[in-house]
Amino acid sequence: MARKPKSSPESPPAQKVEAKLRVGFLLTPRFTLVAFAGFVDALRLAADEGDRSRQRLCTWAILGNEDTVVTSSCGASVRPTAPMESPQVYDYLVVVGGLLHGGQQVPRSVYAFLREAAAHGVKLVGLCTGSFVLARAGLLDGHLACVSWFHREGFAAEFPECRVL
């Protein structure tokens, strides 16, 4: 049986660490779970020392209506952890896209939120087909976009104003 270490009166109080990076995630319906999981887990590992999974050096939130869940392409669901408001509190917003067939059913409020974020200078990232969401919001016009080889032709055809890698 492991013993719990006793705290001594000389122990300094735990210091609050200011997060150096704040990330908000926007998960689209039928998002790709592996893209989201890989990205957020990299943040988790970078956010703290000693594999304690605390959001200290980096914080993140899954944005959306906290009363709903977003279902991934594999059927696993994720519940948002923070409302989709005040985009300027984040350094980055990461849009995680997913399946395109059947059309991406992205709520209009997401596009408005992304445009507001861009107006505040928040950096935007598109994972998987999140680049389609950013382009549909008019936020990639004239920019160079990196798109999966699988969706490159479709992206270039739908968004001729965007340069594609």
Side-chain angles (χ1 to χ4, degrees), residues 68-110:
T68 62
V69 295
V70 184
T71 303
S72 69
S73 60
C74 70
S77 297
V78 176
R79 184 176 306 281
T81 60
M84 194 173 55
E85 56 188 32
S86 306
Q88 66 276 12
V89 303
Y90 299 99
D91 299 303
Y92 288 86
L93 287 177
V94 180
V95 181
V96 186
L99 299 179
L100 292 177
H101 57 78
Q104 277 185 322
Q105 304 299 317
V106 179
R108 288 184 184 171
S109 58
V110 170

Side-chain angles (χ1 to χ4, degrees), residues 30-77:
R30 303 184 313 156
F31 70 96
T32 306
L33 186 60
V34 73
F36 168 64
F39 200 105
V40 76
D41 210 41
L43 293 179
R44 179 190 69 82
L45 292 168
D48 198 11
E49 296 174 348
D51 197 27
R52 294 185 177 166
S53 296
R54 297 174 297 183
Q55 293 188 31
R56 296 184 66 204
L57 301 174
C58 172
T59 62
W60 59 90
I62 302 162
L63 307 178
N65 182 345
E66 294 174 329
D67 296 331
T68 62
V69 295
V70 184
T71 303
S72 69
S73 60
C74 70
S77 297

Side-chain angles (χ1 to χ4, degrees), residues 94-164:
V94 180
V95 181
V96 186
L99 299 179
L100 292 177
H101 57 78
Q104 277 185 322
Q105 304 299 317
V106 179
R108 288 184 184 171
S109 58
V110 170
Y111 294 113
F113 184 73
L114 289 169
R115 286 186 200 103
E116 181 183 353
H120 284 287
V122 177
K123 295 168 190 75
L124 304 173
V125 176
L127 290 182
C128 192
T129 59
S131 54
F132 282 77
V133 176
L134 293 172
R136 288 185 184 125
L139 299 170
L140 291 182
D141 294 357
H143 292 279
L144 181 61
C146 181
V147 179
S148 163
W149 62 270
F150 193 76
H151 297 291
R152 188 182 187 289
E153 285 183 30
F155 186 89
E158 187 174 346
F159 309 107
E161 63 281 355
C162 297
R163 299 181 344 219
V164 184

